[in-house]
Amino acid sequence: MKRVRPEILFRFLLAFMALTLVLHVAVADEGMWLYNHPPAKQVLERYGFSLTPPWLDHLQKASVRFGAGGSAEFVSEEGLVLSNHHVGARAVQRLSSPQHNYIRDGFYARTRAEELPCSGVELNVLTSIEDVTARVNAAVKPGTSDEAAFQARRAVSALIENESTRQTGLRSEVITLFQGAQYHLYRFKKYTDVRLVFAPEEQIAFYGGDPDNFEYPRYDLDICVFRAYENGQPARVENFLKWSKVGPAENELVFVSGHPGRTDRLRTMAELEYLRDVDYPRSLQRLKRIEVLLTSWSARNPENARRARTDLFSSRNGRKRRDGALSGLLDPKLMAAKQSAEQQLRAAVAANPALKDASGAWDRIAQAQQSIAQHSLEDDLLERGNGFYTPLFQYARDLLRADQEGAKPDSERLEEYRESARASFEHRLFAEQPFYPDFEALKLDDSLTWLAETLGWNHPVVQKVLAGKSPRERASELVRGTRLSSASVRRQLYSGGSGALTNAIDPMIELARQVDPEARRARKAVEVQREAIRQAHAQIERARYTLGGEDNYPDATGSLRLAFGAVRGYEQQGQPIPFETTFTGLYARAEEQKLRSPFDLPARWVAGRGKLNLATPLNFVCTADIIGGNSGSPVVNRAGKLVGLIFDGNIQSLTADFLYSDVQCRAVAVHCGGIIEALRKVYDAAALADELVGKQ
């Protein structure tokens, strides 16, 4: 049989995708689906499997949102929570010290008494979803200005969340879907007493380091195990995932349940061009700058490296992810497919008299995007805080704004300071964590320099912030003068209100106060234009729905989604890539690289080689549609049993922010068998392995 050249196959794929993009109809194993609109039809047609309400309800309630940006799952009736090492690493880092470097050496609590409390960690489990689109839209009257519409939508969302919280006692959030075409109320049960049970050494959790990140084959034990507690006792969990004894077979149907952070598949060309020309290049420049700074500082001594570890990992991971996404936006074929799809949809709308109201939506988005571009730099540096790279500044801002926003009616507050978010906000604000003045001053010095370089040395905000000093001198003054590294001080200032904040004479609080007016102005300008974009997208999505695109899914928003696919390898540069790797491959990779960093092995893995069944699978890939935020998501089979743990995507998946294809895009997971084999044979953690496997 004659082989089809990859470039021809890719062009055909893009042409096909352009047609399906018109209605945003999912193809192949595509989709990050809502639990209240699951891909039942697609799964039945492609795999002959019926998604039933009980099956979905169980998986939904076993899935966990870890903190603000990761996924996890319950895996025992006594509250065990499984996620990735890199998702839990910040919690592990906070527990570490020069004497106990758990990131480097790993950790295992052999008894419940040894499990370590993780300050500031919050777990959320989605319990119910309610469509509140009609109520949210009813608050925005016809002819309302964009600013008034934004205020009205914010007010009704706050009202809905507060009513729900009072009635149910559950954390409640109004989630925007389809860029503003739908609004759903999500209710969560939360756990704030979370304790570390097990973490492997980072060297095996992130084996291959940055060179192998987003690559495949992989050989990573990227896991971390926690336990949720309630009233001082392990949480009793009804919905948890049972462990598969055999793991996934090649071509087997699997599902991924997690919290993908953001995709831009429904964005217009104007929005994509802004990401390509402005947003991604700017963020890449900043990420690369931070990476160089932290790499250099880490190389000075092991203690510096320990302190900078999580920030450096985050910058490297973000840089590589942004690089991959930008390469997609710079691909003429991908952008041509997007352009063609948009033109076809606009033509279909223009030809349908019933859809005439939507005909101007694309131009409205383009105009709003131009307005956003005028304010995005100040929004990025001042409001999102990228000009002040230290959590100490965020603490100062939170204290200041919590007082200011608390004096307003709840309907008028910034969303992060609403009553419905108060408990979670306070949990984060009062979390204990170690601070190192030299490290915080290093980061703040660099970000103040970035602020001055980007806005210009003579910019009024820059002059005000630096106060006649160099960035290094000013950063040192701010970090060494503040008391906000103390959780007890933060609590005292928070409870003391305006008087306590005024009398604190804290330079970081005064800095936040100086910056706040300009930051708020930039935020408001951007939010008003985003309201215009939401309204325009709502028109586009209603038109798409009318034209036959009702069977689709929204862009990722960090909310819980269900994906599906098959355990399957792929072909790269004419070479077959196997669907799974084994412990044999891990040791072969180490020897091939002559044990040089980052391909060296922890000492216990060198010593434990003879104990392992080297044929045991370690990692595998599947076609499930994932993105950043899915890290830690469970992979389950038809029986709903856990067969793996998502920890990455391959390099081809990085353009899936804009366009998905199951030809080469793959989600990378830790194999359930590899986890148990490592726990029993390398870590002598039989009790933990027994609890995971359970009685079946």
Side-chain angles (χ1 to χ4, degrees):
M1 181 181 294
K2 184 177 180 180
R3 184 185 299 275
V4 178
R5 289 165 56 194
E7 60 269 24
I8 294 175
L9 179 63
F10 188 59
R11 290 194 192 102
F12 173 79
L13 173 68
L14 286 173
F16 176 64
M17 292 295 283
L19 293 174
T20 59
L21 280 168
V22 174
L23 300 180
H24 189 55
V25 176
V27 296
D29 292 339
E30 177 186 353
M32 301 171 187
W33 297 83
L34 301 172
Y35 266 83
N36 55 340
H37 186 187
K41 173 184 170 185
Q42 290 79 359
V43 172
L44 184 61
E45 289 178 350
R46 287 182 62 80
Y47 294 100
F49 179 69
S50 296
L51 292 173
T52 65
W55 190 97
L56 289 164
D57 184 69
H58 173 70
L59 182 56
Q60 172 188 314
K61 292 176 180 176
S63 302
V64 176
R65 183 170 70 185
F66 192 103
S71 301
E73 55 278 346
F74 280 116
V75 286
S76 87
E77 61 185 353
E78 293 191 292
L80 272 189
V81 176
L82 178 66
S83 188
N84 290 150
H85 185 278
H86 75 265
V87 171
R90 196 165 294 276
V92 179
Q93 175 91 341
R94 288 183 177 184
L95 293 168
S96 297
S97 67
Q99 295 75 34
H100 300 286
N101 190 340
Y102 300 132
I103 290 287
R104 182 192 64 203
D105 302 330
F107 173 82
Y108 174 44
R110 296 188 177 277
T111 66
R112 301 285 170 83
E114 294 175 350
E115 295 175 357
L116 299 178
C118 301
S119 181
V121 173
E122 179 175 306
L123 308 178
N124 285 273
V125 177
L126 179 61
T127 61
S128 67
I129 306 171
E130 179 182 346
D131 190 336
V132 294
T133 305
R135 186 175 177 187
V136 172
N137 286 340
V140 181
K141 306 304 179 185
T144 303
S145 69
D146 291 337
E147 182 174 352
F150 168 72
Q151 297 291 348
R153 208 179 299 277
R154 181 165 70 178
V156 71
S157 295
L159 179 62
I160 291 169
E161 290 175 355
N162 284 336
E163 287 177 354
S164 174
T165 300
R166 285 195 300 269
Q167 292 169 4
T168 66
L170 299 172
R171 175 174 179 168
S172 303
E173 296 179 20
V174 173
I175 306 293
T176 302
L177 299 167
F178 294 102
Q179 272 74 22
Q182 293 182 21
Y183 297 87
H184 291 181
L185 175 64
Y186 280 36
R187 297 185 180 94
F188 303 90
K189 177 177 175 57
K190 65 181 180 180
Y191 299 86
T192 55
D193 185 352
V194 181
R195 308 184 191 183
L196 178 64
V197 177
F198 173 81
E201 307 91 335
E202 182 189 39
Q203 183 52 28
I204 195 65
F206 190 46
Y207 185 77
D210 188 57
D212 275 5
N213 195 19
F214 297 114
E215 301 291 345
Y216 190 77
R218 293 289 291 278
Y219 308 94
D220 292 21
L221 188 71
D222 194 351
I223 68 168
C224 214
V225 184
F226 298 84
R227 194 184 303 277
Y229 279 70
E230 287 188 293
N231 302 316
Q233 298 296 319
R236 303 296 297 180
V237 178
E238 180 179 352
N239 291 285
F240 65 93
L241 299 179
K242 293 184 178 180
W243 206 269
S244 168
K245 290 184 178 180
V246 296
E250 188 171 13
N251 296 316
E252 181 180 357
L253 170 66
V254 292
F255 299 86
V256 174
S257 179
H259 300 80
R262 167 179 163 170
T263 55
D264 295 290
R265 298 174 188 176
L266 293 175
R267 297 291 178 186
T268 66
M269 286 301 296
E271 292 173 288
L272 294 177
E273 288 165 356
Y274 172 78
L275 292 176
R276 180 194 66 194
D277 301 336
V278 179
D279 188 271
Y280 278 20
R282 182 190 298 158
S283 62
L284 267 171
Q285 187 179 1
R286 176 177 169 271
L287 286 167
K288 290 176 181 178
R289 180 189 186 109
I290 292 172
E291 183 179 355
V292 170
L293 174 77
L294 298 183
T295 299
S296 176
W297 197 72
S298 297
R300 295 178 190 173
N301 58 66
E303 178 58 14
N304 281 5
R306 186 190 70 80
R307 295 178 183 182
R309 182 266 160 211
T310 50
D311 284 34
L312 179 55
F313 175 88
S314 179
S315 65
R316 283 176 171 167
N317 197 57
R319 179 261 303 162
K320 203 162 188 179
R321 185 178 294 280
R322 275 284 193 265
D323 265 334
L326 182 58
S327 72
L329 291 173
L330 292 172
D331 185 339
K333 296 185 291 294
L334 187 152
M335 294 296 274
K338 288 286 186 180
Q339 180 72 59
S340 176
E342 182 169 304
Q343 289 172 346
Q344 291 180 58
L345 180 57
R346 294 185 72 165
V349 168
N352 190 329
L355 302 177
K356 63 179 182 180
D357 288 346
S359 60
W362 287 269
D363 292 336
R364 187 180 183 188
I365 290 172
Q367 292 169 2
Q369 195 63 65
Q370 289 178 356
S371 296
I372 287 174
Q374 296 173 13
H375 302 281
S376 64
L377 185 59
E378 287 81 2
D379 181 63
D380 178 60
L381 292 168
L382 305 181
E383 175 59 29
R384 289 193 279 172
N386 287 331
F388 311 96
Y389 178 28
T390 171
L392 297 170
F393 175 80
Q394 188 59 51
Y395 284 146
R397 167 170 285 173
D398 280 340
L399 289 167
L400 185 68
R401 287 189 173 177
D403 178 59
Q404 295 170 343
E405 297 297 303
K408 301 176 183 178
D410 196 55
S411 60
E412 298 177 11
R413 296 179 191 174
L414 299 176
E415 60 183 291
E416 59 266 37
Y417 302 100
R418 292 174 184 165
E419 283 301 314
S420 58
R422 178 191 287 271
S424 295
F425 168 78
E426 292 176 349
H427 184 63
R428 292 191 304 272
L429 182 63
F430 303 143
E432 296 279 0
Q433 66 171 307
F435 280 96
Y436 307 98
D438 56 342
F439 185 45
E440 298 307 321
L442 174 89
K443 295 186 294 180
L444 185 56
D445 169 18
D446 187 74
S447 58
L448 291 179
T449 302
W450 169 248
L451 177 75
E453 289 177 2
T454 309
L455 287 182
W457 193 260
N458 293 320
H459 192 287
V461 173
V462 174
Q463 292 296 303
K464 189 185 300 183
V465 166
L466 293 181
K469 300 177 176 66
S470 70
R472 178 172 296 183
E473 184 181 4
R474 182 65 167 140
S476 178
E477 176 183 74
L478 288 163
V479 170
R480 298 186 186 281
T482 187
R483 297 187 299 141
L484 298 184
S485 59
S486 166
S488 61
V489 169
R490 298 195 297 271
R491 188 182 294 274
Q492 180 183 3
L493 293 173
Y494 180 76
S495 60
S498 301
L501 291 171
T502 300
N503 295 328
I505 315 179
D506 189 291
M508 200 67 75
I509 293 175
E510 293 311 308
L511 174 65
R513 199 189 306 275
Q514 288 177 326
V515 171
D516 206 50
E518 289 84 356
R520 284 178 178 268
R521 277 195 288 272
R523 173 172 176 159
K524 182 177 180 181
V526 170
E527 286 182 334
V528 168
Q529 295 306 317
R530 285 181 178 153
E531 171 62 26
I533 290 174
R534 275 193 294 272
Q535 292 183 28
H537 267 295
Q539 291 178 315
I540 292 172
E541 292 310 312
R542 284 194 291 269
R544 203 190 309 265
Y545 188 93
T546 300
L547 292 168
E550 68 277 3
D551 196 12
N552 58 21
Y553 62 94
D555 267 323
T557 59
S559 51
L560 184 65
R561 302 296 180 86
L562 180 68
F564 67 93
V567 177
R568 185 180 300 145
Y570 56 102
E571 190 173 284
Q572 182 171 294
Q573 297 178 347
Q575 297 298 316
I577 307 298
F579 78 95
E580 69 179 12
T581 64
T582 65
F583 287 109
T584 295
L586 167 67
Y587 288 101
R589 179 78 165 144
E591 291 168 359
E592 170 191 79
Q593 296 292 331
K594 302 186 186 305
L595 296 175
R596 64 183 177 89
S597 178
F599 302 101
D600 50 323
L601 289 165
R604 60 162 53 98
W605 281 82
V606 174
R609 179 174 184 171
K611 303 176 185 177
L612 288 164
N613 176 356
L614 297 180
T616 304
L618 180 53
N619 294 162
F620 67 91
V621 290
C622 65
T623 61
D625 190 0
I626 67 158
I627 200 76
N630 271 119
S631 291
S633 299
V635 186
V636 303
N637 59 19
R638 295 171 186 244
K641 291 187 176 182
L642 187 137
V643 299
L645 181 70
I646 295 293
F647 72 92
D648 206 355
N650 64 355
I651 198 72
Q652 292 87 349
S653 72
L654 292 181
T655 58
D657 191 355
F658 315 107
L659 192 66
Y660 172 82
S661 161
D662 67 0
V663 174
Q664 287 187 318
C665 287
R666 291 295 183 270
V668 187
V670 188
H671 194 285
C672 64
I675 294 173
I676 298 301
E677 182 75 3
L679 289 176
R680 293 193 189 281
K681 306 286 184 63
V682 178
Y683 293 98
D684 190 26
L688 176 57
D690 289 343
E691 186 174 356
L692 289 171
V693 174
K695 298 177 181 179
Q696 300 189 38

